Amino acid sequence: YIQNCLCQNDTKFASLGVHVPVDFTSLGGYNYKNLSLDGKVFPGNGAAIFERLSSIGVDRRNAGSVDKKSVEDLFSIIFDAPEDNVIISSELLFYYPHYVEVVSSHARELGYNIKIVAYVDSFERSILNSYLQNIKNHQYKDDISSFFLSNNGIHYARYEKIFSELSHRNCYD
């Protein structure tokens, strides 16, 4: 619901001085506003960041040394806008603090202050929602206990650990 509200109201946000990047088609990605208007489920406009950084091999060890040229086109969509504020939203980013580190480092270089707002469900609800979303979007077939065990390394519902890593990586002000 949050993702749909952000993407469907990008022009309203712009009138308030807030840029919500929605069109990543020039990178081979999606126009998230169109996905939203078509009733599709998606993990938010920050999914483009996740897709790009994972495709160039960014991981926990090398996040601090990413060549900015390799993500220049991505960052131009996100930050080259007349608005003073930017909203990047995706559940995917929360589970990959090293990706947040790359984006926040570049944002700081441009003079942005970083605020991270995380809407987090209870542990049980998070697992159940993730399981149901994987059934719907990825045709997952196993039971919920198998899903939980197979995704143990993704840090579902390990909020304290993730916030600690975000702080350690200096990802927000």
Side-chain angles (χ1 to χ4, degrees):
Y1 178 77
I2 292 170
Q3 309 306 348
N4 287 322
C5 289
L6 289 171
C7 291
Q8 289 182 21
N9 293 289
D10 62 321
T11 53
K12 179 62 176 173
F13 278 107
S15 73
L16 300 171
V18 178
H19 177 53
V20 179
V22 295
D23 188 358
F24 293 88
T25 54
S26 64
L27 304 178
Y30 297 104
N31 181 312
Y32 293 103
K33 183 174 189 169
N34 290 345
L35 286 179
S36 180
L37 293 171
D38 289 344
K40 304 283 195 238
V41 176
F42 58 96
N45 65 349
I49 296 166
F50 174 84
E51 290 163 6
R52 172 55 68 84
L53 296 180
S54 63
S55 75
I56 63 171
V58 173
D59 62 24
R60 290 186 181 331
R61 296 177 309 273
N62 66 9
S65 61
V66 170
D67 175 23
K68 298 291 193 249
K69 292 226 181 271
S70 66
V71 289
E72 198 171 87
D73 53 351
L74 172 68
F75 287 152
S76 70
I77 292 171
I78 297 170
F79 297 114
D80 290 352
E83 295 83 16
D84 293 330
N85 300 288
V86 177
I87 294 180
I88 302 167
S89 177
S90 179
E91 61 201 50
L92 294 172
L93 294 177
F94 186 71
Y95 296 105
Y96 296 86
H98 49 290
Y99 292 168
V100 177
E101 177 185 6
V102 172
V103 176
S104 63
S105 171
H106 188 73
R108 261 198 204 89
E109 290 174 12
L110 297 172
Y112 287 96
N113 289 317
I114 312 300
K115 305 294 181 216
I116 295 177
V117 178
Y119 168 78
V120 292
D121 280 333
S122 67
F123 176 80
E124 297 84 2
R125 187 172 177 96
S126 175
I127 296 299
L128 181 59
N129 286 342
S130 297
Y131 173 68
L132 294 174
Q133 191 171 16
N134 275 273
I135 289 173
K136 181 178 180 179
N137 293 344
H138 307 293
Q139 291 75 43
Y140 188 80
K141 303 275 188 242
D142 287 338
D143 62 27
I144 193 166
S145 60
S146 298
F147 173 79
F148 179 72
L149 292 172
S150 68
N151 288 285
N152 192 31
I154 299 178
H155 307 299
Y156 283 124
R158 296 183 185 172
Y159 309 128
E160 183 179 345
K161 180 179 179 177
I162 293 166
F163 276 120
S164 175
E165 185 173 345
L166 287 168
S167 177
H168 175 73
R169 290 178 176 276
N170 197 27
C171 291
Y172 56 92
D173 300 321

